[in-house]
Amino acid sequence: NAGVTQTPKFRILKIGQSMTLQCAQDMNHNYMYWYRQDPGMGLKLIYYSVGAGITDKGEVPNGYNVSRSTTEDFPLRLELAAPSQTSVYFCAVHGAGELFFGEGSRLTVL
Amino acid sequence: QKEVEQNSGPLSVPEGAIASLNCTYSDRGSQSFFWYRQYSGKSPELIMSIYSNGDKEDGRFTAQLNKASQYVSLLIRDSQPSDSATYLCASSTGNQFYFGTGTSLTVIP
């Protein structure tokens, strides 16, 4: 039982490149979230999903896109990467009254 | 804007002492409150949740909630060096969660 799995764990991108951060859960919960965490800062919500086919914007959605075709997967797409998107990205699943986090994906844009 | 405010610290306490972490929130509609511990380079992990006014104890940890004052606290008794981490306070309304910026705690052996 892996819980919440994120890939890749580390990635370096050049300005203007695109990539997808993967998030998969085996907990069978509907609510999934993408957060970013900058140094010394709290978690900022990028996008969330209440179930397959339904997504919505959070506090900081600009520069990102998501999709949710299955209950298990919630990928986060970065288009035209910018240095401001250098951050640690956490995927989370809401179940049993709490958030369960993946291990995080550390992204650097140079 | 639903905000959760924490003193960023750093907070240093000697081993064996009580560490006190505080948090305020702006949304009176918040229903649930959480304390997450985050070690450097790791993901947050839940250590306490509290839903009603008063105290909730779990081992060395006690969470306190005062909805009238919109205030949440976490007490760590008999602090250990392994408690050194950043502690994130969070509130939730429905399925939305809001996080503070975290308080850095160092327990000095």
Side-chain angles (χ1 to χ4, degrees):
Chain A
N1 184 351
V4 183
T5 302
Q6 289 184 236
T7 56
K9 288 185 170 45
F10 302 94
R11 182 74 185 267
I12 298 175
L13 280 182
K14 294 182 179 178
I15 294 173
Q17 288 185 320
S18 300
M19 75 160 297
T20 299
L21 299 177
Q22 302 290 346
C23 177
Q25 58 135 335
D26 61 3
M27 307 170 77
N28 200 32
H29 291 311
N30 285 325
Y31 288 83
M32 297 185 73
Y33 308 79
W34 275 105
Y35 290 91
R36 61 176 287 172
Q37 186 176 40
D38 298 321
M41 303 296 290
L43 295 156
K44 298 294 185 184
L45 182 64
I46 306 171
Y47 271 95
Y48 67 99
S49 170
V50 302
I54 306 171
T55 63
D56 207 347
K57 296 178 181 179
E59 300 173 78
V60 290
N62 291 343
Y64 307 95
N65 277 301
V66 293
S67 60
R68 183 92 181 271
S69 57
T70 66
T71 299
E72 291 79 19
D73 299 299
F74 189 38
L76 177 71
R77 177 87 176 158
L78 281 74
E79 304 281 4
L80 298 175
S84 61
Q85 293 178 303
T86 294
S87 191
V88 180
Y89 292 83
F90 289 103
C91 179
V93 172
H94 182 205
E98 68 174 273
L99 281 181
F100 298 90
F101 287 89
E103 293 185 345
S105 297
R106 185 176 297 273
L107 176 66
T108 302
V109 182
L110 301 174
Chain B
Q1 184 83 10
K2 297 179 173 65
E3 294 183 343
V4 177
E5 301 282 347
Q6 292 182 254
N7 187 332
S8 62
L11 175 65
S12 295
V13 300
E15 184 174 356
I18 296 175
S20 177
L21 307 167
N22 305 312
C23 168
T24 59
Y25 60 94
S26 63
D27 181 16
R28 287 194 172 274
S30 297
Q31 300 159 339
S32 306
F33 305 87
F34 308 88
W35 284 100
Y36 284 81
R37 178 175 61 199
Q38 187 175 25
Y39 293 115
S40 181
K42 301 295 186 181
S43 59
E45 58 176 327
L46 182 70
I47 54 171
M48 290 288 286
S49 58
I50 187 165
Y51 307 103
S52 55
N53 278 331
D55 296 358
K56 179 181 178 183
E57 187 174 319
D58 184 1
R60 296 186 296 111
F61 299 96
T62 299
Q64 299 173 318
L65 173 61
N66 183 326
K67 290 188 176 181
S69 300
Q70 297 176 247
Y71 178 88
V72 189
S73 66
L74 178 70
L75 299 177
I76 306 174
R77 290 181 301 281
D78 189 23
S79 296
Q80 301 297 308
S82 59
D83 295 326
S84 297
T86 296
Y87 289 80
L88 301 172
C89 176
S91 68
S92 78
T93 303
N95 290 291
Q96 293 299 314
F97 291 78
Y98 303 92
F99 287 84
T101 55
T103 298
S104 175
L105 172 66
T106 300
V107 180
I108 302 168

